[in-house]
Amino acid sequence: MSEREAVTAARPAAPAARSASSAPAGRAVVMDGAALARKVRHEVAARAAGFAARTGRRPGLAVVQVGEDRASSVYVSYKRKACQEAGIESFGHDLPAATAESQLLALIAELNRDERVDGILVQLPLPGGLSPDRIMDAIDPRKDVDGFHPVNFGLLAQKRPRLRPCTPYGVIRLAQEYGIALRGVKATVVGDSTIVGRPMAMELLLAEATVTVCHIATRDLRADVERAEVLVSAVGKAGLIRGDWIRPGAAVFDVGISWAANGKLCGDVEFERAAERAGWITPVPGGLGPMTIAMLLSNTIDAACARAGTS
Ligand code: GUN
């Protein structure tokens, strides 16, 4: 894909795209990430079947978990189940929390060599003592379906994306689905993590938004949120973004996940009050969570086709 095509691919179709000033009237449209994720997974399943027919093998994804972090175990089980449903072979590797870095690096080297494995995902966070940077750096960039390797992050930053981080890619896909304009709009990203915030800023730049990134040292978060026509929050702190800060008509993507005292899953944004002002908003759960897994499968089939030299 040429640089120009890459930029165009990331942009919603111009005639249909709408921004805060032309958002739907009344309460926000609640973006159905679960429904779009189903659609993406069906597309992946069809591509996986075609890949198997052409190559004689199913695409393969290795999902590695170290330790028994409860939330990670839930995410990993979703990822493995989604693989099976899409016709992608899942190779599970569950290692004890006491695994030495050299052992994990040896497993990654083996997976890099394994012809059946098209994608490698090491679930984060890793137990203390294991360097996520050294582990991510060791994954073959062509199998880096998380898009976290410096090569893939660098390619995205240079406007020639290859394997794109799943959650930010899911935000872009949802925006396209709902005809939300990104080109030229003021976008604010809250959170500067390497998993979501930073690649999200790169995706929005690729789509030609004007991007502000807020982080721990940001002085006036409210002001940066209030000017946002597109807001992506990825912090994991319930109630961080007050509903009355939302710009009328804005598109709000809530990537934050935390658990309330009653065990309920919460996003960063005060949903009910925000929905009275926003043009579009994602729910938690049912927004970016399912989209992240769908884009992981999409990256896996992309990686498989690129490795096999098929379309
Ligand atoms: N932990 C939380 N989100 C993710 C993700 O998207 N990929 C990996 N590997 N670990 C995570």
Side-chain angles (χ1 to χ4, degrees):
M1 186 186 279
S2 74
E3 181 178 305
R4 194 68 220 158
E5 283 166 335
V7 171
T8 310
R11 193 187 293 164
R18 301 168 81 184
S19 62
S21 56
S22 64
R27 202 171 182 278
V29 171
V30 178
M31 291 181 268
D32 191 342
L36 179 56
R38 273 195 298 278
K39 190 166 135 185
V40 172
R41 293 203 320 255
H42 282 133
E43 288 164 9
V44 170
R47 290 182 64 200
F51 178 91
R54 285 193 303 279
T55 64
R57 70 168 181 92
R58 289 191 290 161
L61 173 64
V63 179
V64 180
Q65 185 181 355
V66 188
E68 286 168 7
D69 179 77
R70 240 182 79 211
S72 290
S73 298
V74 174
Y75 298 143
V76 162
S77 71
Y78 286 164
K79 288 171 185 179
R80 289 176 181 161
K81 182 162 173 272
C83 278
Q84 272 148 21
E85 286 170 5
I88 291 172
E89 192 163 356
S90 168
F91 302 97
H93 294 271
D94 295 306
L95 308 182
T99 300
E101 195 167 284
S102 57
Q103 289 173 298
L104 184 51
L105 289 170
L107 172 62
I108 291 170
E110 189 187 315
L111 297 172
N112 282 342
R113 285 191 300 269
D114 191 332
E115 285 304 321
R116 302 165 305 160
V117 172
D118 298 291
I120 302 170
L121 179 144
V122 179
Q123 186 68 23
L124 300 175
L126 289 168
L130 298 176
S131 155
D133 288 346
R134 277 197 291 273
I135 301 304
M136 294 301 142
D137 288 359
I139 295 173
D140 180 341
R142 293 171 315 149
K143 297 189 177 188
D144 167 38
V145 285
D146 259 328
F148 295 163
H149 191 282
V151 165
N152 286 316
F153 188 87
L155 287 170
L156 175 61
Q158 291 184 350
K159 302 200 284 187
R160 43 191 186 130
R162 203 166 59 184
L163 290 168
R164 300 156 74 159
C166 303
T167 305
Y169 197 10
V171 168
I172 298 297
R173 189 75 164 76
L174 256 185
Q176 287 171 339
E177 184 74 8
Y178 283 85
I180 295 166
L182 298 176
R183 183 165 191 251
V185 306
K186 290 189 181 69
T188 295
V189 179
V190 183
D192 70 337
S193 70
T194 48
I195 295 182
V196 182
R198 285 166 189 259
M200 188 72 249
M202 293 302 138
E203 283 285 358
L204 288 164
L205 265 181
L206 183 67
E208 297 181 308
T210 300
V211 185
T212 301
V213 182
C214 300
H215 43 71
I216 192 83
T218 295
R219 293 212 181 102
D220 191 351
L221 176 63
R222 176 179 184 156
D224 289 320
V225 170
E226 280 179 339
R227 78 167 72 90
E229 295 167 272
V230 169
L231 175 70
V232 182
S233 188
V235 174
K237 191 169 171 193
L240 175 70
I241 310 293
R242 287 189 23 199
D244 60 351
W245 295 359
I246 300 299
R247 178 173 168 150
V252 178
F253 297 89
D254 193 348
V255 180
I257 298 240
S258 55
W259 281 268
N262 62 5
K264 223 180 120 208
L265 208 57
C266 301
D268 292 346
V269 181
E270 276 182 349
F271 182 85
E272 287 305 328
R273 289 171 73 204
E276 288 165 16
R277 296 169 66 85
W280 302 265
I281 190 166
T282 55
V284 177
L288 272 315
M291 283 305 294
T292 298
I293 295 181
M295 300 323 286
L296 169 68
L297 301 184
S298 175
N299 278 348
T300 302
I301 185 71
D302 284 349
C305 290
R307 289 185 62 247
T310 72
S311 58

